[in-house]
Amino acid sequence: MDASNIRLFQKNEQDFVLLCKDGRAVQFRIVPGEGYHVVRRLEGVDFKPTGDGLRQEGWNCVGPGLEYTDLLEYK
């Protein structure tokens, strides 16, 4: 996946949202010693408005988040 197509947002030490330009998003939590837990997955998400909304809610963009792209796949 191309880094220009995704963004990783972080709210605190553990809470993240990975947003993809193809309309997918996944909210997850990293729990030390346990790994990550998916909170929810969404489809049909508008990339720019959603990113802007996350920023308004106090989330910070912390990079492309390439290391988490496997979370975008439904299992």
Side-chain angles (χ1 to χ4, degrees):
M1 180 168 289
D2 185 343
S4 67
N5 291 326
I6 59 172
R7 291 292 174 269
L8 181 66
F9 292 86
Q10 183 175 5
K11 181 113 181 195
N12 54 45
E13 288 289 317
Q14 298 175 326
D15 294 309
F16 297 86
V17 172
L18 186 61
L19 184 59
C20 186
K21 282 187 179 177
D22 70 3
R24 294 178 291 163
V26 62
Q27 181 180 0
F28 63 99
R29 173 171 280 181
I30 296 177
V31 180
E34 294 182 31
Y36 57 81
H37 298 282
V38 172
V39 175
R40 65 181 165 163
R41 290 186 170 97
L42 300 169
E43 289 192 27
V45 176
D46 289 327
F47 186 78
K48 175 122 175 65
T50 301
D52 291 345
L54 287 168
R55 285 184 188 94
Q56 290 174 354
E57 293 176 10
W59 294 79
N60 296 307
C61 183
V62 294
L66 289 172
E67 64 271 30
Y68 300 110
T69 57
D70 62 317
L71 293 176
L72 291 168
E73 302 304 321
Y74 290 83
K75 297 178 179 171

